[in-house]
Amino acid sequence: MESSRIPIKAIVSLFCSYMLLSHITTLGLTLALEDCEFPAIFNFGDSNSDTGGLAASLSPPPPPYGETYFHMPVGRFSDGRLIIDFLAKSLGHPFLSAYLDSLGSNFSYGANFATANSTIRLPNVVQPAAGGFSPFYLNIQYMQFMQLKSRSQLIRHRGGIFENLMPKEEYFSKALYTFDIGQNDLAEGFIGNLTVQEVNASVPNIISGFSANIKKIYNLGARSFWIHNTGPIGCLAYILANFPAQKDEAGCAKSYNEVAQHFNHKLKEATVQLRKDLPLAAITYVDVYSVKHFLFKEPQKYGFELPLIACCGYGGKYNYNRSSGCGGTARVNGSQLFVGSCKDPSVRVNWDGIHYTEAAAKFISDKISTGAFSDPPLALKQACHKNLA
């Protein structure tokens, strides 16, 4: 009796044909999507996207911050540009002006409400107190946006030299609203000597506060939301140097990354619910965590080295010491030495023990802009409601 089995070569051929057809179909769907018109960007967040808010209001970063691209400090906690700078560029916009910066700002293409050390919830200790977090937590950033939306139109109607520095009224419904915040809520718990379990237990309340502000911003006319999850906090030098923990295969503090993953899981659940609650919104959840973790797990593959070690810092295994931070001084053999940067920041991931280098930021922004790490899988330029119909 003849065998009825299909030859292995035929199975492989059928599988390859299926995979090719699947890829072509997916590519076709992606190409079929229309680019959105985002005439403005309104950003909410912390130091990962602060383009000068904290510098204008409380504490500017000193040299060598900004040295790579701007050749001077410009309010960014990096050696150069941030992810938000590259995202703005990819949409054809210049750098976002910080809402809190009263000198030379131009809000015609949007505004940045992010400040370094910002949290989602009201922090327990507020700057300028020692160890404090930004007073401009997410609810304050929402109120600043509300002020900008109303007052900018009064200025435009009044006319004069400031009219063209304000966004047009129709921009608010067409703009892209970007969010990168939550890392400091976790950090506040760790610094406050909470256990990993206690920080995990605080996450639902943190996420609830985030969702409440998304809804309020939606009620003011926002429709397109681009939401970053939080990064692998356990890979940052300030965690590794101050909080002993079991390490994973990349050398990161495993339990601290698990907290970040728990936060991200709850954040993704919240975005699913927000889509149900806000039917006219396009809400894109962006897995920044995975992209950042690539840089720590396989740095050489992407042209980086020494990812766990701060480029700008002094002391210890991770070149990080809270008392001798980037741009500060360190006492060595009785002498005060300036804490400067490493020889080549372009091959480094971590800038100052907490933040990423410009090179890392560009890598991250290039990856997330494609939509490969988004839910739904929309590229940055396609993340509006017409592509979700």
Side-chain angles (χ1 to χ4, degrees):
M1 186 172 64
E2 290 186 6
S3 172
S4 61
R5 290 181 297 176
I6 300 174
I8 294 296
K9 286 184 178 180
I11 294 174
V12 172
S13 179
L14 285 170
F15 176 75
C16 291
S17 298
Y18 168 78
M19 292 302 292
L20 179 61
L21 180 61
S22 175
H23 175 72
I24 292 172
T25 302
T26 302
L27 180 62
L29 288 173
T30 301
L31 294 175
L33 296 176
E34 297 180 43
D35 283 354
C36 308
E37 179 193 355
F38 293 129
I41 303 171
F42 296 102
N43 183 68
F44 304 79
D46 53 30
S47 56
N48 288 311
S49 60
D50 181 359
T51 56
L54 195 75
S57 57
L58 286 169
S59 178
Y65 285 89
E67 67 175 13
T68 295
Y69 182 81
F70 302 100
H71 309 299
M72 60 181 290
V74 290
R76 288 161 174 79
F77 288 83
S78 170
D79 62 311
R81 290 165 291 181
L82 310 175
I83 294 172
I84 188 64
D85 293 318
F86 292 109
L87 296 183
K89 181 181 179 182
S90 72
L91 293 177
H93 294 305
F95 299 133
L96 289 182
S97 292
Y99 175 78
L100 292 169
D101 192 350
S102 60
L103 301 174
S105 291
N106 183 347
F107 302 121
S108 62
Y109 45 83
N112 192 353
F113 304 95
T115 64
N117 295 327
S118 282
T119 52
I120 293 172
R121 300 188 302 180
L122 174 66
N124 293 319
V125 182
V126 174
Q127 289 176 290
F133 289 81
S134 171
F136 307 107
Y137 69 109
L138 185 56
N139 193 56
I140 298 296
Q141 293 182 27
Y142 151 72
M143 288 192 282
Q144 291 171 338
F145 169 69
M146 183 169 57
Q147 285 281 318
L148 176 70
K149 187 173 188 291
S150 61
R151 295 178 63 193
S152 63
Q153 298 317 295
L154 292 175
I155 292 170
R156 285 189 62 83
H157 294 154
R158 190 183 303 145
I161 60 173
F162 297 112
E163 177 183 357
N164 293 326
L165 298 178
M166 298 295 131
K168 296 179 180 179
E169 184 175 9
E170 62 268 24
Y171 284 8
F172 290 97
S173 61
K174 295 179 179 180
L176 181 65
Y177 291 78
T178 54
F179 297 80
D180 193 329
I181 194 167
Q183 180 175 305
N184 288 321
D185 292 87
L186 306 181
E188 183 183 30
F190 297 141
I191 294 169
N193 294 320
L194 296 183
T195 65
V196 166
Q197 293 75 20
E198 288 171 329
V199 176
N200 271 335
S202 71
V203 167
N205 183 258
I206 297 170
I207 297 299
S208 176
F210 179 82
S211 295
N213 277 284
I214 292 291
K215 290 178 180 179
K216 289 189 291 187
I217 294 169
Y218 173 89
N219 288 336
L220 289 177
R223 290 296 179 264
S224 298
F225 297 85
W226 180 266
I227 300 171
H228 292 183
N229 67 11
T230 201
I233 190 173
C235 298
L236 301 179
Y238 89 97
I239 291 290
L240 293 167
N242 293 300
F243 302 95
Q246 180 184 352
K247 304 301 190 293
D248 64 14
E249 70 278 7
C252 303
K254 185 177 179 181
S255 57
Y256 290 85
N257 276 352
E258 288 172 348
V259 173
Q261 291 166 351
H262 176 63
F263 174 92
N264 292 340
H265 175 70
K266 293 299 182 183
L267 178 63
K268 190 170 185 178
E269 286 184 345
T271 61
V272 171
Q273 185 60 47
L274 284 167
R275 292 186 190 111
K276 297 175 182 177
D277 296 340
L278 311 175
L280 297 180
I283 300 174
T284 307
Y285 171 89
V286 186
D287 184 13
V288 174
Y289 180 101
S290 292
V291 180
K292 288 182 175 179
H293 198 260
F294 290 156
L295 296 175
F296 296 102
K297 189 175 182 180
E298 300 180 287
Q300 290 81 11
K301 180 178 179 180
Y302 303 107
F304 293 91
E305 63 185 29
L306 305 173
L308 303 176
I309 299 174
C311 170
C312 184
Y314 176 80
K317 180 178 179 181
Y318 301 103
N319 198 37
Y320 178 81
N321 187 318
R322 278 183 293 186
S323 62
S324 303
C326 180
T329 59
R331 181 169 289 276
V332 181
N333 298 326
S335 301
Q336 292 284 348
L337 298 181
F338 174 71
V339 179
S341 61
C342 58
K343 184 177 180 181
D344 187 5
S346 71
V347 296
R348 301 294 285 273
V349 174
N350 192 297
W351 167 242
D352 60 0
I354 302 173
H355 307 100
Y356 291 79
T357 60
E358 175 182 281
K362 185 178 189 307
F363 172 86
I364 296 162
S365 64
D366 286 347
K367 291 291 185 183
I368 64 175
S369 295
T370 65
F373 297 88
S374 301
D375 178 30
L378 296 175
L380 177 71
K381 293 181 180 181
Q382 301 167 341
C384 57
H385 196 271
K386 67 181 178 181
N387 288 323
L388 298 176

